[in-house]
Amino acid sequence: MILDISRLLFGVRRGTPSGIARVEMAYARHALGRPGGATFVAEMPWGFAALPRDAAARLLDAVEESWATGAPGAVRRARGLAAGILGRLALGQGRAALDAALAAWKRPVFLLVSHRSLDRAAPIAALCRRGVAFVPLLHDLIPLTHPEYARPPQVARHARRLATIAAEADGVITNSAATAGTLLDLLGPARIPPVTVAPLGIAPSEAVPAAPATAPGGHFTCLGTIEPRKNHLLLLHLWRDLVRMQGAAAPRLLLLGRRGWENENVLDLLERCAALRGPVQEPGPLPDAAVRARLAGSRALLFPSFAEGYGLPLAEALALGVPVLCSDLPALREVGGEVPDYLDPLDGAAWRRAVLDYAAADSPRRAAQLARLRHWSPPRWADHFDRVEAFLETVAAPVRRPLPARPDTVPPEPVAPLAEPVPAA
């Protein structure tokens, strides 16, 4: 296995991780303990270069510590290690190590589990010409299916990513059947590789309820980047109405996540609406422990998105025993099953009724969801990697072969959490 960890290396400057960075970290940890071995690489301007294994291991430890605690010393250490590695790679180190790995393996598999390098096809094509099987993990296709929620450059980048998959991929991992179905629809008559659906996992530490938040009064939590697709505007209008109705008795709303893009209306409400000051709090990006504590003490996670490829915050909330009110989207139903209360993201009245009910100490709807939650099991990374490793065996054929215009079967229905690979004809 050759695993790209460019997102971890370059993204360490951001401090708190994105969901995709967490996935890359899970793959890196899996690769470190993988019996078949693994080589870590990062993309440089001239192509991919291999990292020393011990340097990669130290980096992973430091990055995880900085995510967990947010301590300035831990953040500086992670950034320093990343800078040192990148400095050596920029000088050309790592090329010989990658050549040695390619020479040692008959048919290595190159895994790209973030979207970071997928829009630059030339370095990937160069590896494929050397006999490497290329397998990306596709998280979503939202910039193409919902371009109104993405900046124009991001739409163009995602189109190039799709073109790279069509031209170079020997197989594709998707996080949900919804993402797999969208991929096949968008590829159309293009060269279509085999696809497997492998739901993302929850780390064991994330499946243990944290201590509830100690602040007085009930609160709701919205977790994720503040961007138009996440539909924060609905929640802020709802909370202004709750404050008008209930005054100081209104529940609090915590917005956990960094500010994204094209948020003029949301930011105007956050910064200029006097009624929301106090009832709505925006602590911004927080260390993992602080996020878990606030989420664990919530009346519910609020997740009113217009589009999702998977819905990791939903899985994280349910793993902590926290109820969820979320949009009725196929990808979210794959994760939550029958547990959450699903609502139309445009139905403000339904969201108001649900929030008012869940805010009550004797909420019947909340009690009913907690009862359903007892029968829900968190998705496990072990199951994910069992599926992925079996899939890699099927795509790492001795020689690269042409792929059909359309597979014999389609991805499974969304109700199947662990779907079988989609075979090539």
Side-chain angles (χ1 to χ4, degrees):
M1 177 190 291
I2 300 170
L3 177 67
D4 177 76
I5 59 170
S6 298
R7 193 177 188 97
L8 292 175
L9 266 174
F10 289 94
V12 72
R13 305 184 191 96
R14 298 178 66 182
T16 56
S18 65
I20 293 179
R22 293 182 185 280
V23 173
E24 191 168 281
M25 176 64 78
Y27 267 79
R29 286 299 185 192
H30 172 72
L32 277 178
R34 186 173 183 265
T39 296
F40 297 99
V41 300
E43 187 192 9
M44 304 305 293
W46 39 265
F48 290 98
L51 288 69
R53 188 179 179 87
D54 59 343
R58 290 195 301 272
L59 176 71
L60 299 182
D61 290 341
V63 169
E64 283 191 325
E65 182 184 2
S66 72
W67 289 356
T69 67
V75 173
R76 285 195 298 270
R77 178 170 176 267
R79 290 174 177 172
L81 286 171
I85 291 171
L86 289 171
R88 291 191 293 273
L89 296 184
L91 294 175
Q93 297 182 24
R95 297 192 197 193
L98 180 57
D99 290 340
L102 295 177
W105 295 329
K106 291 182 179 179
R107 179 67 163 158
V109 176
F110 174 45
L111 274 176
L112 181 61
V113 300
S114 77
H115 291 166
R116 177 180 171 85
S117 303
L118 194 53
D119 59 323
R120 293 179 287 277
I124 296 171
L127 287 178
C128 292
R129 288 194 297 270
R130 300 180 67 178
V132 173
F134 173 49
V135 178
L137 191 161
L138 187 63
H139 295 267
D140 66 70
L141 289 151
I142 292 171
L144 300 181
T145 59
H146 298 76
E148 64 274 22
Y149 299 131
R151 291 167 292 184
Q154 181 69 2
V155 176
R157 279 195 294 271
H158 230 59
R160 293 195 297 271
R161 290 163 181 160
L162 188 66
T164 302
I165 289 173
E168 305 296 344
D170 294 277
V172 180
I173 304 162
T174 66
N175 53 9
S176 67
T179 299
T182 302
L183 171 65
L184 295 180
D185 288 342
L186 290 179
L187 285 175
R191 172 187 179 273
I192 296 179
V195 178
T196 193
V197 179
L200 306 179
I202 295 292
S205 62
E206 296 171 336
V208 178
T214 57
H219 71 267
F220 292 81
T221 299
C222 182
L223 176 59
T225 301
I226 300 176
E227 57 174 299
R229 175 173 63 89
K230 299 293 187 178
N231 202 14
H232 289 80
L233 197 59
L234 176 142
L235 298 180
L236 294 181
H237 283 302
L238 168 58
W239 244 261
R240 183 167 59 180
D241 195 38
L242 292 179
V243 172
R244 179 186 59 81
M245 293 166 51
Q246 300 181 326
R252 290 176 300 121
L253 172 63
L254 302 186
L255 304 181
L256 304 183
R258 62 174 54 89
R259 292 185 176 187
W261 47 89
E262 297 183 356
N263 280 317
E264 290 82 2
N265 291 337
V266 170
L267 299 185
D268 284 345
L269 281 168
L270 287 173
E271 296 174 357
R272 296 161 56 186
C273 180
L276 296 180
R277 294 173 191 155
V280 176
Q281 299 174 11
E282 186 193 4
L286 294 173
D288 289 353
V291 170
R292 290 181 66 245
R294 285 161 175 78
L295 182 57
S298 302
R299 299 299 294 171
L301 172 75
L302 304 181
F303 201 179
S305 291
F306 289 116
E308 291 291 339
Y310 182 69
L312 198 56
L314 189 160
E316 291 170 343
L318 296 182
L320 289 173
V322 176
V324 175
L325 302 174
C326 65
S327 295
D328 193 356
L329 302 175
L332 299 187
R333 283 191 174 270
E334 287 186 58
V335 177
E338 299 301 318
V339 176
D341 277 342
Y342 297 99
L343 303 168
D344 187 327
L346 295 174
D347 192 346
W351 282 87
R352 180 188 294 107
R353 289 191 297 270
V355 167
L356 286 172
D357 188 299
Y358 272 65
D362 58 349
S363 166
R365 290 179 66 177
R366 188 174 190 273
Q369 182 171 163
L370 288 173
R372 297 193 299 271
L373 182 52
R374 288 197 293 268
H375 305 287
W376 182 86
S377 297
R380 302 190 313 150
W381 278 117
D383 294 331
H384 176 94
F385 288 120
D386 283 348
R387 175 56 50 87
V388 166
E389 290 287 356
F391 182 64
L392 297 184
E393 291 290 337
T394 70
V395 301
V399 294
R400 203 160 188 248
R401 54 188 172 79
L403 295 172
R406 184 55 83 169
D408 289 338
T409 59
V410 297
E413 293 298 320
V415 295
L418 289 175
E420 292 300 321
V422 179

